[in-house]
Amino acid sequence: MKNSITAILVDDEPLARKLLKEYLQDFPEVKIIGECKNGTQAVKAINEDKPGVVFLDIRMPGMDGFEVLENLNYMPRIIFSTAYGDYALKAFERNAVDYLLKPYDRKRFSQAMQKVLNRTVKMENEIDRIVQVLQQSKEQRSFPGRIFIRKGKRIISVEVEIFSGLKLKVIIHNCIRIAVPFFVT
């Protein structure tokens, strides 16, 4: 599937994870690659598997959802899924895509998923624009060593490297990696 996105579900309640799986069946472009029942498992799975989106409960035994975020080396899109409305402001301060307050219905879940999918398309379009601008350059020396793009309210550093004059490699830190074939004339 071309525009697929991977997901990890993090909730200490098995019924909550089951509901997430049920609602995600409406989105065939989303592939669940992991389920975690506590924060420690979540940190390990997210850092290793680098999912596109994480559905994250806040109050869990041991490590809460915010502590999970503090321990990540990789930052996916986050949708908080919790029974506690008190943490919404803090969640959005941590760049959450959405905040699902339990119990939520399929329609509300779908709205949250549309935000994730729209951000994915925006990021892909932004990367395409960057590559297009870089490909317009005819001389190898005219490539900048680093460019910056906006991701929500954050600015992301992008390294540009040329390999043997034949390939252009763009690495977007904490986001995705792409390699684009490019021939210098």
Side-chain angles (χ1 to χ4, degrees), residues 1-9 19-33 53 55 79 97-98 100 104-121:
M1 192 172 298
K2 185 182 178 210
N3 291 323
S4 64
I5 186 168
T6 55
I8 290 180
L9 316 179
L19 182 67
L20 285 168
K21 286 189 285 190
E22 178 185 324
Y23 287 174
L24 281 169
Q25 289 177 359
D26 295 342
F27 297 90
E29 63 269 55
V30 178
K31 179 183 178 195
I32 299 169
I33 59 170
V53 63
F55 295 89
I79 294 180
V97 172
D98 211 333
L100 294 172
Y104 49 86
D105 60 14
R106 191 177 293 269
K107 180 180 177 184
R108 179 65 185 93
F109 179 84
S110 181
Q111 292 169 342
M113 277 306 302
Q114 287 306 317
K115 290 179 184 180
V116 168
L117 297 173
N118 289 342
R119 286 188 183 189
T120 301
V121 169

Side-chain angles (χ1 to χ4, degrees), residues 29-97:
E29 63 269 55
V30 178
K31 179 183 178 195
I32 299 169
I33 59 170
E35 290 185 48
C36 305
K37 60 184 178 182
N38 61 54
T40 304
Q41 288 178 349
V43 169
K44 184 176 188 300
I46 295 166
N47 283 336
E48 287 178 5
D49 299 333
K50 299 182 178 14
V53 63
V54 172
F55 295 89
L56 183 60
D57 190 12
I58 291 180
R59 295 183 85 188
M60 298 177 288
M63 185 184 297
D64 71 25
F66 295 111
E67 291 171 317
V68 168
L69 295 180
E70 291 170 10
N71 286 285
L72 294 179
N73 299 323
Y74 166 83
M75 189 57 66
R77 292 169 208 81
I78 301 291
I79 294 180
F80 282 100
S81 172
T82 183
Y84 302 94
D86 302 344
Y87 301 103
L89 181 59
K90 187 175 180 180
F92 286 110
E93 287 173 348
R94 301 294 194 284
N95 294 318
V97 172

Side-chain angles (χ1 to χ4, degrees), residues 96-144:
V97 172
D98 211 333
Y99 193 90
L100 294 172
L101 189 58
K102 297 175 186 175
Y104 49 86
D105 60 14
R106 191 177 293 269
K107 180 180 177 184
R108 179 65 185 93
F109 179 84
S110 181
Q111 292 169 342
M113 277 306 302
Q114 287 306 317
K115 290 179 184 180
V116 168
L117 297 173
N118 289 342
R119 286 188 183 189
T120 301
V121 169
K122 276 184 174 178
M123 181 60 92
E124 289 171 358
N125 290 341
E126 198 164 326
I127 291 168
D128 289 343
R129 285 195 310 271
I130 291 168
V131 171
Q132 186 178 29
V133 167
L134 293 175
Q135 287 178 335
Q136 290 173 357
S137 174
K138 295 291 182 191
E139 293 182 351
Q140 187 171 337
R141 291 185 189 130
S142 65
F143 285 103

